[in-house]
Amino acid sequence: MLLSSPSPLPQAAPQGVFVTGTDTGVGKTLTSAILTKAWQGTYWKPFQTGLAEEEGDTPTVQRLTGLPDRHFLPPAHAFQAPLAPAAAGLLEGVALDPDQLTLPAVPQAPLIVEGAGGLMVPLTDTMLMIDLIARLGLPVILVTRSGLGTLNHTLLSLEALYRRDIPVLGFITNGPASPQNSQTLERLGRTRSLHHLPAIPGTPEPHDINRITGQFPSWEEIWNLNSPL
């Protein structure tokens, strides 16, 4: 049996995109940095956890892109523990209310929203990250590994998005090149491969971002849905 039917994409470019992934550590922040730099957009990560161990994704994206402060919005919620937002908030005595989150007006369009973890990360006892994505109404860019296991993880994620009528702009693979996997995902997942990010040895640096953004489709090209990327 094939996946559920994808939801149609809007005919005109929306306010922005929601960057999510098939897992934690799959390359969402690297992808978000590339999109923000390539499109000269505004970056926003509503939920940040793990600040006891790292500086957080917003400073990381700003360092990688070199863009000024006006391209960055602070997280709506930031927590110290490296846990899912629901668990991290509980430790700090903060009751999350994702229903109150709305898309901010941004000085530099488009808006690039980065999720925390994968689609099924709990925000509260009754709300998952995928529920927030549906409520915000932005089309999704799904970041996935390129190698072994990606077919299962990516198709499961696409099925979950399609069942909730969330439009998917396409997917971005990260790691060693595997054209066969990308072609299979396009065919079975009924979506587009937007780009492949090659493996970066060591920690990504601004020159890596500059090199990749020079090859990345523009915001206008991404929304020319009838032409190949």
Side-chain angles (χ1 to χ4, degrees), residues 37-79:
K37 183 67 178 284
W39 298 341
Q40 294 292 294
T42 296
Y43 173 83
W44 183 43
K45 180 155 187 164
F47 295 94
Q48 175 68 63
T49 63
L51 292 176
E53 299 181 355
E54 59 183 38
E55 64 177 353
D57 292 331
T58 304
T60 297
V61 172
Q62 186 161 18
R63 177 182 64 81
L64 288 173
T65 61
L67 293 172
D69 290 347
R70 67 177 180 274
H71 289 265
F72 301 91
L73 301 174
H77 297 282
F79 301 110

